[in-house]
Amino acid sequence: MRPAQPHGRRRRCADAAATATISTVADGDPGSDKRQIVHDVKVTEGGSGYLVPPDVYFECSGGPDDRSCFSSGEDSDGGPVPSWVPGEHATAIAVLGEYDPKCDNSWQPCDAQGAVVRVDITFPGRYYSSAPVVKF
């Protein structure tokens, strides 16, 4: 819940948006072509009005229970075993830009206040076959 403002009004927040890029971990082991990780997260829209950094989630395009963005098969030999999906989603934290107190009393969009300026990857995930969707 967003904090209430004077006279019962609520602070307006605009949602942030970002895209993820994956890359292959080349270590020479069998199945290493399936070891794709989140390499980069680019903020495409910083949003505004965040008082604390929003949580960052990664999921496949079909939602939280979808596993379609992960490789399937056994990692040890690279052979296809469709029933086993070893993928694990990445984790990250959002970093907010500089707080601008001039925006406190304005009800207009204010890009400088509480905008997500970058996303730092804390765990790159593993076994992606396509880039996951980034959610805030």
Side-chain angles (χ1 to χ4, degrees):
M1 177 184 281
R2 296 181 182 131
Q5 295 295 312
H7 309 293
R9 294 184 288 183
R10 292 180 178 253
R11 167 179 286 276
R12 287 183 11 180
C13 282
D15 291 332
T19 58
T21 304
I22 60 174
S23 64
T24 302
V25 175
D27 59 12
D29 286 342
S32 65
D33 62 324
K34 295 183 180 198
R35 294 190 185 137
Q36 293 194 52
I37 61 171
V38 172
H39 172 74
D40 185 46
V41 176
K42 179 182 179 185
V43 175
T44 57
E45 177 60 50
S48 64
Y50 290 105
L51 299 177
V52 296
D55 291 332
V56 181
Y57 302 95
F58 295 88
E59 56 186 49
C60 298
S61 62
D65 296 325
D66 179 21
R67 306 289 289 168
S68 66
C69 63
F70 292 114
S71 297
S72 62
E74 204 214 283
D75 178 48
S76 63
D77 65 4
V81 181
S83 62
W84 184 65
V85 179
E88 192 174 350
H89 277 299
T91 58
I93 57 171
V95 178
L96 296 182
E98 185 176 353
Y99 176 72
D100 182 0
K102 294 181 297 198
C103 298
D104 281 353
N105 297 320
S106 172
W107 296 105
Q108 301 299 314
C110 189
D111 292 332
Q113 180 184 4
V116 175
V117 294
R118 75 173 193 266
V119 173
D120 291 345
I121 300 166
T122 55
F123 171 68
R126 61 184 188 157
Y127 301 105
Y128 284 107
S129 59
S130 61
V133 176
V134 182
K135 301 269 186 157
F136 292 96

